[in-house]
Structure formats: structure tokens, C-alpha cells
Amino acid sequence: AATAYNSRGARYLLNKKYNEAHADFMSALRIDPLYYEAYYNLCVLDNALGKYEEAAAYCLKAIGINPRCVKAHNSLCSTYGRLGKFAESIAYGQKAIEIDPAYGAAHNNMVAAYYYTQQYDLAIMHSDKAKELGVAVDPELIARLKELKKVK
């Protein structure tokens, strides 16, 4: 079944066997073209390979099937940030947090998005929330935010 291919593909992905992972995710989608988790996993795979435009397209497909897929919204936040598309990054991060306010990874991604758009107070707020939720935030980014806060 599609879930078996997707599960095996996820294991391949964790072990950095990218070709095998891709093949299994595509097999899952041939069985069930509406299997949004396989699209999400293809997004994760392409992000790992630095293929950000392709990753974004897969996450958008996952969201088109399941608009409440918090992982896909969060991945788009990160992916669009890597592409320098910070308005889109912030929009998808906000949607992920709207879906699940306790999703710490989304707060973590929002730190960078707000930092790079010079919205430092919002970056600090999301940093605090991510830490509160047990998600580690990039210590270098935290140090830069603290410096900026001192300058104000």
C-alpha cells in the first residue's frame, strides 16, 4: 500500500539514501495520488538536496490536498526563507502556528524570517516561544538578536 512505500521512503530519507527515498515516495503517489504525506516527504527530500523551488512545489501540493498539514506549512516557511522570499516565509509560518500554536519548529523558523526582515521584536518573541516549547534556536542568531536589542 501507499503507506508502506511512504514509510520505507522516510527511513531511506533518514539514512540519506535519497534516490531510494524518491522512488518510494513516487510509488506511494502512483498508488494514491492524494497521499499528501508523500508530497510532504518529497518536499523534505528536495530541501535536503538544496532543490528549494522543487521542495516548495511539493509542499504546495501537500497543502492543496490537506490545507491543515502543519508540517507542510512549516516546511514552506523554511524553504521560502532559504529562497529569500521572506513575505511568503512569514505567511506560511503564521499559518503553521495558526493551525498548531504549540508547534515549536514553526516558531523557530519564524525567528529567522523576522530577523531577515528586520522585525527583531517579533524574532525575539518567537525565539522565546520556541525555547518555551523545547525547540533549540540557532545560538548565533540569538546572539545577534541580543546585540541588536542592546543597540536599541
Side-chain angles (χ1 to χ4, degrees), residues 6 34-44 58-77 91-100 103 106:
N6 189 62
L34 297 178
Y35 193 47
Y36 72 91
E37 290 178 5
Y39 284 117
Y40 165 75
N41 283 329
L42 284 164
C43 171
V44 173
Y58 282 127
C59 271
L60 288 169
K61 284 184 180 183
I63 290 169
I65 296 165
N66 179 1
R68 297 199 47 81
C69 181
V70 69
K71 296 184 299 185
H73 285 282
N74 184 54
S75 286
L76 274 173
C77 175
Y92 282 101
Q94 288 172 332
K95 184 65 176 174
I97 292 166
E98 177 187 311
I99 294 167
D100 183 357
Y103 196 65

Side-chain angles (χ1 to χ4, degrees), residues 79-149:
T79 301
Y80 282 136
R82 289 183 178 122
L83 289 168
K85 297 179 177 182
F86 296 112
E88 293 92 337
S89 175
I90 290 168
Y92 282 101
Q94 288 172 332
K95 184 65 176 174
I97 292 166
E98 177 187 311
I99 294 167
D100 183 357
Y103 196 65
H107 289 282
N108 185 37
N109 284 333
M110 293 295 278
V111 175
Y114 282 126
Y115 174 81
Y116 289 112
T117 56
Q118 300 179 349
Q119 298 178 71
Y120 304 125
D121 289 340
L122 289 170
I124 291 167
M125 180 192 79
H126 283 283
S127 169
D128 292 344
K129 187 66 176 177
K131 286 189 275 187
E132 176 188 313
L133 294 167
V135 175
V137 178
D138 179 357
E140 189 177 304
L141 193 53
I142 296 296
R144 283 186 259 160
L145 283 168
K146 285 181 180 175
E147 277 304 308
L148 288 164
K149 198 171 185 179

